[in-house]
Amino acid sequence: MSEKLAYLRKDFERLFKFSVVGAFGALINSFFLWLFTEIAGIFYLFSSLIAIEIAIFVQFMLNDRWTFHERRTKGWSEFFKRILKSNIWRAGGIALNIAVLFLLTEYAHIYYLLSNIFGILCAFISNYIFESRLTWGVG
């Protein structure tokens, strides 16, 4: 197997794992969005910010231990640097997610939980590119 083909295979494997982690993160995000909006009575856009951050933390831990296990975080100092990087790189995804959530909910009159799923899907690819390349240094 050529070196380039082996790299593409490994990158596809990471993308698959990142997708599984992302799907789990979408469930966590949606649950906390619902919980904070419906049970705690927080405005859905504010609930979304909190839910996204919880999901980012869980996804970071899963990606660190599974998706990018060969580049696993070692020590607290590296952990804090990487979680900060993860949040910085995902800022674009967060903005995209919330923009789609707002636009679909307010202007297309789609239920906010469904709008949120569309927002998550829109942010997925940018999150993978930035996370894999800039947080874990794969690329």
Side-chain angles (χ1 to χ4, degrees):
M1 184 185 296
S2 75
E3 188 175 316
K4 185 157 183 109
L5 189 59
Y7 173 79
L8 288 174
R9 185 180 159 274
K10 185 67 177 168
D11 201 38
F12 180 77
E13 181 184 309
R14 276 192 297 268
L15 178 59
F16 174 76
K17 288 179 176 181
F18 193 83
S19 299
V20 171
V21 170
F24 184 66
L27 291 173
I28 290 169
N29 179 320
S30 296
F31 170 75
F32 281 105
L33 174 60
W34 170 82
L35 180 74
F36 294 135
T37 302
E38 298 297 328
I39 305 302
I42 300 171
F43 182 59
Y44 77 96
L45 292 177
F46 295 128
S47 294
S48 179
L49 285 171
I50 300 166
I52 288 170
E53 192 55 42
I54 292 169
I56 285 173
F57 182 78
V58 171
Q59 289 171 303
F60 174 84
M61 297 303 292
L62 291 172
N63 280 323
D64 187 58
R65 298 295 176 205
W66 185 48
T67 308
F68 302 100
H69 63 87
E70 71 277 359
R71 296 176 181 269
R72 182 175 295 167
T73 302
K74 296 167 186 76
W76 286 106
S77 176
E78 186 177 9
F79 172 81
F80 286 117
K81 286 178 189 172
R82 279 194 168 166
I83 194 77
L84 179 62
K85 280 183 182 181
S86 180
N87 273 278
I88 290 169
W89 308 140
R90 285 180 177 251
I94 292 169
L96 184 58
N97 186 340
I98 291 183
V100 170
L101 169 65
F102 174 75
L103 291 171
L104 291 179
T105 302
E106 295 299 321
Y107 295 104
H109 306 290
I110 296 174
Y111 185 57
Y112 75 95
L113 289 174
L114 184 57
S115 297
N116 187 53
I117 296 300
F118 285 114
I120 289 168
L121 291 172
C122 289
F124 171 78
I125 293 298
S126 69
N127 286 343
Y128 176 71
I129 291 168
F130 286 117
E131 286 280 21
S132 62
R133 282 18 178 211
L134 302 174
T135 300
W136 280 277
V138 174

